[in-house]
Amino acid sequence: MLHMLHSKETGARMIVVDPRFTRTAAKADEYVRIRSGTDIPFLFGMLYHVFKNGWEDPQYLKDRVYGMDKIKEECLTKWTPTRSRKSAACRRRRSTRSPR
């Protein structure tokens, strides 16, 4: 928690995704409540927006991440924003605003 608070003091924005409203969520700039056990569908929904808008760093992914091309393909074909939102049971506004 101290790292988070220090980062916030230096201007970082903090988004917490959790089924429960925790102390960390209370200190965050944005809190997104999802259904328990649906963190991967939520993450894939966020990655959909990252890949669709070209916000990823291709060189970093190429150098450091194995298999991201398969994840990208799966996110863009199977995990559309609608499917991800339904699986994670979160609001549309939250799931589209968070990746930005």
Side-chain angles (χ1 to χ4, degrees):
M1 175 101 96
L2 290 176
H3 295 316
M4 183 186 93
L5 294 174
H6 177 68
S7 296
K8 283 185 57 96
E9 287 175 357
T10 59
R13 285 188 29 107
M14 187 64 59
I15 301 170
V16 173
V17 179
D18 201 312
R20 297 179 305 128
F21 189 79
T22 61
R23 289 186 306 167
T24 306
K27 304 280 188 211
D29 296 306
E30 186 172 341
Y31 168 64
V32 181
R33 178 174 297 219
I34 61 171
R35 186 177 16 210
S36 182
T38 61
D39 45 348
I40 298 300
F42 181 82
L43 175 65
F44 278 13
M46 287 185 69
L47 284 175
Y48 176 91
H49 292 290
V50 170
F51 292 137
K52 194 76 164 173
N53 293 305
W55 295 334
E56 77 273 21
D57 182 351
Q59 189 60 42
Y60 179 87
L61 295 176
K62 181 182 174 192
D63 293 344
R64 295 179 175 85
V65 182
Y66 176 76
M68 186 55 85
D69 52 339
K70 292 179 183 177
I71 291 175
K72 181 177 182 176
E73 180 183 328
E74 184 172 341
C75 288
L76 292 175
T77 58
K78 295 181 184 176
W79 289 100
T80 61
T82 304
R83 182 176 180 203
S84 176
R85 256 193 324 275
K86 286 180 180 177
S87 295
C90 69
R91 296 186 192 124
R92 180 173 194 255
R93 183 176 63 93
R94 297 289 179 131
S95 64
T96 56
R97 188 176 63 188
S98 296
R100 296 181 194 151

